[in-house]
Amino acid sequence: MQMLTLPAPAKLNLMLHITGRRADGYHELQTLFQFLDYGDELSFRLREDGQIRLLTELPGVDHDSNLIVRAARLLQRESGCTLGADIQLTKRLPMGGGIGGGSSDAATSLLGLDHLWNTGLGEDRLAELGLSLGADVPVFVRGRAAFAEGVGERLQPVDLAEPWFLVIAPQVSVSTAEIFADPELTRNTPAITVRSLLAGGGHNDCQPVVEKRYPEVRNALSLLNKFVQARMTGTGACVFGSFPNEGEADKVRRQLPATLPSFVARGRNVSMLHRSLEQMAQEASA
Ligand SMILES: C[C@](O)(CO)[C@H](O)COP(=O)(O)OP(=O)(O)OC[C@H]1O[C@@H](n2ccc(N)nc2=O)[C@H](O)[C@@H]1O
Ligand SMILES: Nc1ncnc2c1ncn2[C@@H]1O[C@H](COP(=O)(O)OP(=O)(O)OP(=O)(O)O)[C@@H](O)[C@H]1O
C-alpha cells in the first residue's frame, strides 16, 4: 500500500498592515510571510474505495470540519478522483497561534494527495482551491516566502534573510474573526511598496487589539522585549524575536519560565513541504 509522509511547516507574518476593508467584510492587507523549519507532519495511505479518513482526533475540531479532510474532499471533487486516503496527523503547532497550523495542514493535504492521486491539477488551481479554504492556504501551496496583498492571496515571492527565531506560544487561542471584527482595529494603514518594506520596518496592526484582549500575549511580548525586539505573528497568539544564530536564540529560551511553551526554529524562504516534494521528484528521476 502506498504511503507518503510530508511536513506542514509553520509560517510567521514578519509584519501585517491592514490597508482597507472590502464590501464582503474581508480585510485588505499587506504582509510578509516566511516559513519556519518546524511544524506538523501528515502521513497519507492510499485507499481504493474513495473514503477520506483522518485517523487522528484533534480536540475541539470535528472530523468533517478539519481542514485536512475538507481539503482532501475538495480535491477529490474538483479532480473527479475516485481514490481515497487514510491520513494521520502529528500536531505540533499550537491552534489559534497565528503560525498557520490549520492552513498549512490544508496545503499539505492538497499537495500530498495531488501527488498520491496524480490529479495533474497544477499549482495555480491548487492555490485557488486553497484560497476557498482560508486566506493563508495559498502561500503554503506555493511554498515561497512572499509579500502578500489583497486578502493575502496576491503573492510576490521575496528573498529574505533566514535568521533563527524564538517563538513563544502563550496558552491562549486567538480567534482571527474576533480580531478582524474589533472596532478598534486600525484599518487604514497607508499601502507601502515591497521595496520600501524590505529596506526596513513594518509592524503588526492586529497587535494592539490582541494585547488589549489577551493579557497572556501582552505578557509574552514584554518578557521577550527584555532580550530582543518582539512582535506578534498574524492575529496572535504567538510572539517572536529573531537572532543571528541558534545558540543565541536557545540562550534566551533557557531564561524563559519553564511553564511558557516556546520553540526555536530557522526562517526559510522555501518551505519544508516543497523541499520534501522536490527531493522526491529528484529521487524518482534518478
Ligand atoms: C491574519 C492572517 O493570518 C495573516 O496571514 C490571515 O489573513 C488569516 O488567514 P486565515 O486564518 O486563513 O483566515 P480565514 O479562515 O480566511 O478567515 C477567518 C476570518 O478572519 C477574517 N478575515 C480574514 C482574512 C482577511 N484578510 N480579512 C478578514 O477579515 C474574516 O472574518 C474571516 O471569516
Ligand atoms: N488541521 C487543523 N489544525 C488546526 N486547526 C484546525 C484544523 N482544522 C480545522 N481547524 C480549526 O481552525 C482554527 C484555526 O486554526 P489555526 O491553527 O490555523 O490557527 P492560526 O494558527 O491562528 O491560523 P492563521 O495564522 O492562519 O490565522 C482552529 O481553532 C480549529 O478550530
Side-chain angles (χ1 to χ4, degrees):
M1 192 60 86
Q2 248 188 305
M3 171 101 167
L4 178 64
T5 298
L6 290 170
K11 57 83 177 168
L12 290 177
N13 297 97
L14 299 178
M15 49 68 74
L16 175 60
H17 293 179
I18 301 179
T19 53
R21 196 181 202 173
R22 299 195 318 200
D24 64 2
Y26 260 73
H27 290 75
E28 297 275 356
L29 46 87
Q30 291 189 312
T31 186
L32 204 48
F33 285 110
Q34 193 175 39
F35 304 101
L36 296 177
D37 61 359
Y38 180 86
D40 297 343
E41 196 170 77
L42 274 76
S43 292
F44 307 90
R45 192 183 291 275
L46 196 69
R47 289 180 67 106
E48 302 286 346
D49 64 3
Q51 275 194 59
I52 304 289
R53 292 196 324 188
L54 177 62
L55 306 178
T56 317
E57 262 188 54
L58 208 53
V61 184
D62 298 338
H63 179 271
D64 287 359
S65 39
N66 194 302
L67 283 160
I68 295 170
V69 175
R70 290 180 52 210
R73 295 207 167 126
L74 182 62
L75 183 67
Q76 228 180 8
R77 226 175 20 250
E78 290 298 315
S79 64
C81 181
T82 56
L83 297 168
D86 281 338
I87 308 172
Q88 267 171 326
L89 166 68
T90 305
K91 193 80 195 156
R92 298 197 185 94
L93 300 176
M95 301 198 346
I99 52 179
S103 313
S104 187
D105 288 353
T108 296
S109 190
L110 285 174
L111 267 62
L113 291 172
D114 169 64
H115 182 85
L116 211 56
W117 295 341
N118 207 3
T119 72
L121 283 189
E123 196 179 278
D124 289 351
R125 185 72 189 122
L126 293 174
E128 263 173 39
L129 295 183
L131 182 61
S132 73
L133 296 166
D136 275 350
V137 182
V139 72
F140 287 109
V141 169
R142 301 288 188 185
R144 297 285 181 280
F147 179 63
E149 296 182 280
V151 297
E153 86 294 0
R154 267 197 343 256
L155 299 167
Q156 189 176 329
V158 286
D159 222 356
L160 305 170
E162 296 186 326
W164 289 81
F165 292 99
L166 168 58
V167 181
I168 301 181
Q171 294 286 73
V172 284
S173 173
V174 177
S175 149
T176 300
E178 173 199 312
I179 300 309
F180 277 115
D182 193 305
E184 286 183 31
L185 182 68
T186 299
R187 298 181 164 86
N188 58 357
T189 296
I192 53 169
T193 60
V194 62
R195 185 191 296 248
S196 66
L197 175 66
L198 295 178
H203 62 272
N204 184 336
D205 278 325
C206 298
Q207 193 172 313
V209 172
V210 178
E211 280 196 68
K212 195 164 172 189
R213 287 172 175 251
Y214 294 89
E216 296 87 345
V217 176
R218 194 165 65 236
N219 292 341
L221 281 163
S222 58
L223 184 61
L224 191 53
N225 262 323
K226 295 200 172 95
F227 303 96
V228 68
Q229 195 200 15
R231 188 170 289 173
M232 194 182 78
T233 172
T235 52
C238 289
V239 307
F240 64 92
S242 74
F243 297 85
N245 58 57
E246 186 176 17
E248 288 190 36
D250 270 331
K251 202 163 86 188
V252 173
R253 180 167 186 246
R254 285 195 296 272
Q255 296 177 66
L256 299 175
T259 49
L260 198 57
S262 63
F263 63 88
V264 167
R266 180 129 195 225
R268 287 294 186 187
N269 294 328
V270 177
S271 100
M272 292 193 305
L273 170 62
H274 290 69
R275 284 168 193 268
S276 296
L277 289 168
E278 276 157 29
Q279 198 180 331
M280 280 167 41
Q282 272 169 19
E283 282 166 8
S285 67

